[in-house]
């Protein structure tokens, strides 16, 4: 089923715990990550992730990502699917 949410693309370090730190920060504020896809980043030792998050506003999600060290928001947009 298609559900609305916020799609974000981030870049983060390619190291143990980076994804857990991201998912924990989102969940801590009540967010639900319904989709997650990762692929190697353009820079060495980086990993890009595309996520779809529900139950958080765009502003709140931006704040969460901006507070994570070594994590950069590349794109964020609301989706209807």
């Amino acid at each position: 089923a298609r559900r609305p949410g916020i799609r974000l693309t981030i870049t983060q370090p390619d190291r143990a715990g980076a994804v857990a730190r991201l998912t924990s920060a989102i969940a801590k504020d009540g967010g639900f990550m319904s989709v997650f896809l990762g692929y190697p980043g353009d820079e060495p030792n980086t990993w890009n992730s595309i996520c779809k998050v529900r139950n958080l506003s765009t502003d709140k999600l931006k704040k969460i990502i901006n507070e994570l060290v070594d994590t950069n928001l590349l794109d964020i947009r609301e989706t209807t699917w």
Side-chain angles (χ1 to χ4, degrees):
R2 297 181 186 267
R3 296 185 176 123
I6 301 170
R7 187 182 78 193
L8 62 130
T9 306
I10 62 163
T11 186
Q12 60 192 23
D14 185 14
R15 65 173 177 247
V19 173
R21 188 172 51 118
L22 171 68
T23 57
S24 293
I26 290 170
K28 178 182 169 193
D29 283 320
F32 170 64
M33 190 178 298
S34 61
V35 176
F36 184 87
L37 170 74
Y39 59 96
D42 294 334
E43 299 297 321
N45 302 314
T46 64
W47 193 255
N48 291 342
S49 300
I50 300 172
C51 313
K52 184 174 180 182
V53 177
R54 296 171 42 207
N55 302 341
L56 291 175
S57 69
T58 300
D59 288 338
K60 181 63 177 175
L61 200 49
K62 284 180 184 177
K63 184 176 185 288
I64 291 168
I65 300 304
N66 287 332
E67 289 176 353
L68 295 174
V69 177
D70 296 332
T71 301
N72 296 307
L73 185 62
L74 301 176
D75 184 63
I76 189 166
R77 63 185 75 188
E78 291 187 36
T79 66
T80 58
W81 47 270

